Amino acid sequence: MVVQAARQPAAWPYQLGSIPQRAGSFQTRGEVAQLREAAMRREAGCLVLSGAGGVGKTQLAADYARAVQGAGSVDVLLWVPAGGRASVVASYAQAATELLARDWDDAEQAAEAFLAWLEPKSEAAQQASCRWLVVLDGVEDPAEVEGLVPAESRWGRTLITSRRRDAALVHGRKHVPVGLYSEEESRAYLAAALDSHGRSDDQEELAALAGDLGHLPLALAQAVAYIVDDGIDCADYRRLLADRATRLEELAPDQLPDGQTAAVHAAWSLSIDRADQLRPHGLARPMLHMASLLDPNGIPQDVLTSDVACAYLAGPGGKRTVSHRDASRVLRVLHRLCLIDHDRDTARREVRIHELIQRAVRDELSVGTSQVAAVAAGAALLTSWPDTAHATALGMVLRSNAAAFAAHAHAIDDMGFAVFRVVLRAASSFGQAGHLSTAIDLFQRLAEAARPKDHELALNTWYQLAHYRGEAGEVAEAIAILQEMLPRVRRVLGPEHRGVLAAGHELARWQAQADNHSDALKVSKEILAAAVDAHGPDSPDTITLQLNLALRQGDAGDLPSAVATLEDLVPRAIRAYGPESTTALMIQGYVARFQADAGDMKSARRTFRDLAAEEQLLMGSDDVNVLHARHELAFSRGATGDIKGALRDYDRLLADRTRVLGPDHPDTLLTQYNLLTYQLEVVQAMESAAARLTRSMNARGSDRRQASSALHEVMYLRDMVNHDAESVIASVNNVVEHANTVLGSDHPLVRRFRSLQEEAASVDLKHQAAISTGSTEMTLSATAARDPKTFLVEIEDKIRRDAERIYGPSIHVVRNFSEEDIANLFKKNG
């Protein structure tokens, strides 16, 4: 029943509910400008601000409300706490009572009357319509405000803030996702907030703290309060935050700043509880348990929806059945509640989660629950890891997840064998991808954990640690590890086991690298004899070890023995692998290389002619073994004197290795090194030929006749390298800088690059000297090496002038003449 009240309606401007106070050091971020622009344009309709807890949605809404109010463009403003339907209805009922000057027996009826009053009026009543803004702050469930969102009106606007982004909430409305602060906004906030308390800190420390807190506004504000209250600095707070024994709740200030109602550790608890209540029921929390142990920047969906993950979600004993679809649906639930970002548009449909949400989830886990979640997350990661992933973008993502997993599973011994295997797989993948320092760190950690154990997996860890230490240039350390390990491997696995043969081969390899050739040959012969006894002369293991013996013989300078060993091996390799296998082709390439090293160029070239057709069969394959074989063939081609062929092969191989392995892989960088080495060699030869040509052009008699061959050599070399001296030198400098960043200054390949850089600098000095002297001969020489096309034009002009002087101005000289034309002209002119 409606009873007419004996009072006047509330006067305009009218406000119900308090707009939250402006937070200290409020940042004018991108969303602020977007909302203020909407206010200035008097956009009608409904705006939805959605985002995770702590990103500042309420502050943005309050800034918008104050902007509208300050501009005098609103007559009625309601700020409504919208955590549940009852609070929204109560606010609407109070507004109806005051604005319509009526008392209501039923709050729902009053709310309906208020919404009707806000609806668009007829044309005749437009002048009397009021301008209104309704802010529904903190909508927790779209169903709770069903029917309570005002209808669109040209006179009014609705603004909703929510941790939800369900279709039912955002469809048909202007959706403004609210994210984290940018790096600059985070740093500016920390600086301003600390300054307001008379405190300051180093800019780098501010930036580092902002990164540690993931640029979350709530976390930044509470960190400042804690720092000020405890009288510490940013570095101290960062140390506390990095301590895994410190729980997030211990870093909350005693008094929360800016009217905040929840500490960081509790900011998402309500959302997690609600997610667990949504279908499929009870799976959100265990899904977050797994996700909290992986990489916050991107977890492949296939990991979190794998068979292992589904079994974990099903709970102890598998009391319920959880399908892949159920697992996918729970990811969407967590996405809708802004607890994760689930990008369904990428190939891997990656899941991203804020680091502090992960930390808060881990803090609530008991030791037992944590261990079960860790085993599940690790096994899910391992079963979703393809064997060939190290050279792909997926490999990078999986390695990042494994590294994050290893950081959280910090007690590998206590976490069990399954976790050990995950970290071992990650370490191997880092090594295969060329991230040597990371691989070494992980292998060292695993090896120390496995030190007392003599099972095969533990021994393999030591073997791989030695391998990657040697690859990183720590040859003495690699030898020491292998010498200590080899007796253990023989005792545990037996003298003929493949692990023993591999360890012996690795030891011989690094001994040769350290110029200890006698020990390297001794070990190589011992393990080859063991392989022949155990597996026969034609087994793959035996063939590999005989190839390695030949390489050790070559390292020691015994080239005839190396060639003989390889020639004996070729027919057996063809029988074992087939005539078109990469192994057989690679062995024949080594034959050609050692023949050339021994001075038998005729045999070397003949061997390579036989290989040319078969080599084409390797093109087009992305297999890493094929790429390695192509590298060895290119190297051997250059060793036999076919520089043009080597340049062509390395150029093609560089493109393929960059595409397959990535620009940072050591194999890719080694290919660049070899390519640049030959290019620089050709540039130097071109400079020398250009100098001979200029001397010939300025001389008489027989030197004139030599000019033709010198010019031909310049043209040939120019076509071969397809670069001028400056670009080659610049490439060397750029690649050296890149290799140093990727591999580290002590890597042996980086040291080789530096030697190449010194050689390039020497070439560049000669060019600069030639230009600065102004000498005709030296300037022409420098021009020839730097810019052959311009130089050839100058030479052609000189030939034309000489011809006109001797034969008269009517002589016809073709500018793009052939080598034969030049030779004939020089002969006549001589």
Side-chain angles (χ1 to χ4, degrees):
M1 176 181 178
V2 179
V3 180
Q4 183 69 40
R7 60 175 179 270
Q8 294 295 316
W12 301 348
Y14 169 85
Q15 178 178 327
L16 177 66
S18 299
I19 302 173
Q21 290 186 351
R22 188 183 183 90
S25 306
F26 179 82
Q27 293 294 296
T28 305
R29 50 208 286 206
E31 293 89 345
V32 171
Q34 187 176 352
L35 291 171
R36 287 181 180 176
E37 184 180 351
M40 294 300 294
R41 290 201 305 263
R42 294 187 48 76
E43 288 183 355
C46 181
L47 293 91
V48 180
L49 303 182
S50 70
V55 295
K57 301 178 296 295
T58 295
Q59 279 293 315
L60 290 171
D63 180 80
Y64 175 85
R66 279 190 290 270
V68 171
Q69 200 173 51
S73 57
V74 63
D75 300 314
V76 171
L77 190 155
L78 267 67
W79 186 278
V80 181
R85 185 177 184 86
S87 62
V88 178
V89 169
S91 293
Y92 285 0
Q94 182 179 349
T97 298
E98 296 177 5
L99 289 169
L100 303 181
R102 296 179 183 178
D103 292 324
W104 307 85
D105 292 335
D106 184 88
E108 287 278 354
Q109 197 175 44
E112 289 178 10
F114 173 70
L115 289 171
W117 183 74
L118 295 179
E119 286 183 7
K121 306 300 185 295
S122 64
E123 286 296 327
Q126 289 289 354
Q127 294 292 332
S129 294
C130 83
R131 301 162 299 170
W132 53 266
L133 170 65
V134 174
V135 180
L136 300 175
D137 184 38
V139 172
E140 295 175 5
D141 185 348
E144 292 287 299
V145 294
E146 183 70 29
L148 295 178
V149 179
E152 284 198 18
S153 166
R154 60 175 296 192
W155 300 100
R157 279 162 285 183
T158 306
L159 180 59
I160 298 173
T161 71
S162 179
R163 300 184 185 191
R164 304 281 291 264
R165 49 186 167 192
D166 305 57
L169 185 64
V170 302
H171 180 67
R173 294 163 179 156
K174 183 176 178 60
H175 182 210
V176 182
V178 181
L180 307 167
Y181 279 156
S182 67
E183 293 183 15
E184 184 58 39
E185 288 166 348
S186 293
R187 191 164 52 248
Y189 172 83
L190 288 173
L194 288 169
D195 182 68
S196 69
H197 292 282
R199 300 284 300 274
S200 63
D201 218 318
D202 180 73
Q203 286 295 315
E204 291 186 3
E205 281 294 340
L206 295 179
L209 176 58
D212 292 345
L213 294 172
H215 307 288
L216 182 71
L218 180 75
L220 295 172
Q222 293 185 14
V224 168
Y226 188 97
I227 288 169
V228 171
D229 290 346
D230 270 36
I232 61 177
D233 59 20
C234 288
D236 294 328
Y237 189 88
R238 291 185 63 213
R239 281 190 285 272
L240 289 170
L241 187 64
D243 185 355
R244 296 182 184 281
T246 304
R247 296 169 61 87
L248 274 182
E249 62 181 309
E250 297 172 31
L251 295 176
D254 293 331
Q255 180 66 41
L256 298 180
D258 300 327
Q260 295 168 5
T261 58
V264 168
H265 71 279
W268 307 283
S269 59
L270 184 63
S271 295
I272 295 173
D273 290 341
R274 188 168 292 276
D276 236 8
Q277 296 166 11
L278 299 176
R279 295 179 300 171
H281 304 290
L283 299 186
R285 196 177 295 274
M287 179 65 84
L288 283 175
H289 292 171
M290 281 195 301
S292 72
L293 297 169
L294 299 171
D295 182 17
N297 299 308
I299 309 167
Q301 175 181 293
D302 288 348
V303 172
L304 297 175
T305 60
S306 63
D307 290 340
V308 172
C310 290
Y312 170 73
L313 294 175
K319 296 178 181 178
R320 61 186 291 186
T321 300
V322 176
S323 66
H324 296 288
R325 173 168 167 71
D326 291 332
S328 297
R329 289 180 67 198
V330 77
L331 292 178
R332 297 310 297 171
V333 167
L334 293 169
H335 175 82
R336 282 159 47 199
L337 271 71
C338 295
L339 289 165
I340 66 171
D341 285 311
H342 183 208
D343 192 347
R344 304 192 68 173
D345 294 331
T346 62
R348 292 177 295 277
R349 298 187 173 186
E350 289 180 0
V351 170
R352 291 181 297 280
I353 177 172
H354 196 280
E355 304 99 300
L356 293 182
I357 295 181
Q358 289 184 308
R359 180 81 171 261
V361 170
R362 291 195 302 269
D363 281 353
E364 75 172 15
L365 298 180
S366 66
V367 173
T369 305
S370 176
Q371 289 184 340
V372 173
V375 170
L381 188 62
L382 196 61
T383 57
S384 304
W385 201 316
D387 290 336
T388 58
H390 63 271
T392 64
L394 173 61
M396 294 176 62
V397 173
L398 292 170
R399 286 192 294 274
S400 296
N401 276 274
F405 177 78
H408 300 314
H410 47 88
I412 293 179
D413 271 341
D414 298 336
M415 299 300 283
F417 186 67
V419 176
F420 187 98
R421 286 176 60 87
V422 174
V423 181
L424 180 61
R425 180 61 175 276
S428 299
S429 184
F430 273 113
Q432 290 170 328
H435 303 285
L436 300 185
S437 60
T438 304
I440 290 169
D441 288 345
L442 288 175
F443 277 124
Q444 186 71 51
R445 181 177 162 194
L446 288 165
E448 292 299 331
R451 183 178 287 279
K453 302 176 177 61
D454 274 342
H455 57 70
E456 186 173 351
L457 195 61
L459 294 172
N460 181 52
T461 301
W462 282 102
Y463 166 79
Q464 294 208 59
L465 174 62
H467 171 79
Y468 286 112
R469 280 204 155 193
E471 290 290 341
E474 302 173 11
V475 175
E477 291 83 353
I479 292 172
I481 291 171
L482 290 164
Q483 285 177 331
E484 178 189 351
M485 187 188 107
L486 199 53
R488 291 172 60 197
V489 179
R490 283 199 182 102
R491 185 183 71 252
V492 174
L493 303 179
E496 297 167 353
H497 191 278
R498 294 187 68 184
V500 176
L501 301 179
H505 155 247
E506 194 76 2
L507 175 59
R509 176 190 174 195
W510 297 121
Q511 286 172 329
Q513 192 90 320
D515 293 330
N516 188 357
H517 298 296
S518 59
D519 284 349
L521 283 169
K522 179 182 177 182
V523 172
S524 296
K525 290 175 181 177
E526 287 176 356
I527 60 174
L528 176 59
V532 171
D533 290 343
H535 307 294
D538 293 337
S539 74
D541 286 335
T542 303
I543 289 171
T544 298
L545 292 173
Q546 186 165 347
L547 170 60
N548 292 326
L549 173 61
L551 296 178
R552 302 292 80 81
Q553 290 169 328
D555 291 336
D558 187 2
L559 298 176
S561 295
V563 172
T565 301
L566 290 169
E567 288 178 337
D568 174 66
L569 185 57
V570 168
R572 287 194 283 119
I574 291 174
R575 285 197 302 272
Y577 298 106
E580 299 172 355
S581 74
T582 57
T583 302
L585 291 175
M586 191 162 58
I587 291 171
Q588 293 175 80
Y590 281 125
V591 170
R593 183 199 299 186
F594 286 131
Q595 286 171 334
D597 288 345
D600 186 3
M601 299 300 294
K602 184 176 180 180
S603 297
R605 291 191 177 104
R606 184 171 58 248
T607 302
F608 246 113
R609 276 198 304 272
D610 296 340
L611 278 173
E614 297 174 19
E615 184 189 357
Q616 290 302 311
L617 298 172
L618 298 179
M619 301 299 292
S621 173
D622 289 344
D623 183 84
V624 291
N625 293 318
V626 171
L627 296 175
H628 179 68
R630 286 175 56 192
H631 183 275
E632 292 302 328
L633 290 173
F635 189 92
S636 299
R637 195 185 298 280
T640 60
D642 183 5
I643 305 300
K644 186 173 185 178
L647 281 167
R648 180 199 62 225
D649 290 355
Y650 278 129
D651 196 46
R652 293 173 179 173
L653 180 60
L654 178 59
D656 289 339
R657 273 186 160 167
T658 301
R659 175 175 52 80
V660 175
L661 303 177
D664 298 345
H665 195 283
D667 288 352
T668 305
L669 293 169
L670 178 60
T671 306
Q672 279 188 296
Y673 170 82
N674 288 330
L675 177 62
L676 287 169
T677 298
Y678 281 123
Q679 286 180 338
L680 193 62
E681 183 179 318
V682 171
V683 164
Q684 290 175 300
M686 189 161 59
E687 179 190 58
S688 177
R692 290 199 308 275
L693 178 54
T694 53
R695 285 195 298 271
S696 299
M697 291 303 299
N698 290 322
R700 288 188 175 276
S702 59
D703 286 341
R704 283 283 187 167
R705 290 191 292 271
Q706 294 174 6
S708 173
S709 61
L711 179 58
H712 173 65
E713 186 177 356
V714 171
M715 296 172 68
Y716 173 76
L717 292 169
R718 187 271 318 273
D719 290 338
M720 184 190 300
V721 76
N722 201 28
H723 292 287
D724 60 29
E726 286 179 338
S727 63
V728 172
I729 292 166
S731 295
V732 172
N733 292 331
N734 290 338
V735 176
V736 170
E737 183 178 348
H738 177 66
N740 186 70
T741 301
V742 173
L743 302 178
S745 58
D746 293 333
H747 195 281
L749 183 55
V750 175
R751 291 197 291 269
R752 292 167 67 184
F753 265 123
R754 285 210 193 91
S755 297
L756 188 65
Q757 189 177 33
E758 291 174 4
E759 188 177 346
S762 175
V763 172
D764 194 43
L765 283 173
K766 292 178 182 178
H767 287 307
Q768 298 301 333
I771 292 173
S772 64
T773 60
S775 145
T776 302
E777 178 178 322
M778 294 187 72
T779 303
L780 284 173
S781 171
T783 303
R786 286 179 178 275
D787 188 0
K789 293 181 180 179
T790 301
F791 179 74
L792 291 175
V793 170
E794 293 180 11
I795 292 298
E796 289 169 6
D797 286 341
K798 184 170 179 57
I799 292 172
R800 178 178 52 76
R801 290 194 301 273
D802 286 348
E804 290 176 350
R805 176 174 54 80
I806 295 171
Y807 298 106
S810 60
I811 186 68
H812 176 66
V813 179
V814 180
R815 298 195 64 80
N816 294 316
F817 37 73
S818 66
E819 176 193 356
E820 185 179 0
D821 294 329
I822 297 171
N824 290 335
L825 188 56
F826 277 136
K827 186 176 180 180
K828 292 177 182 178
N829 199 20

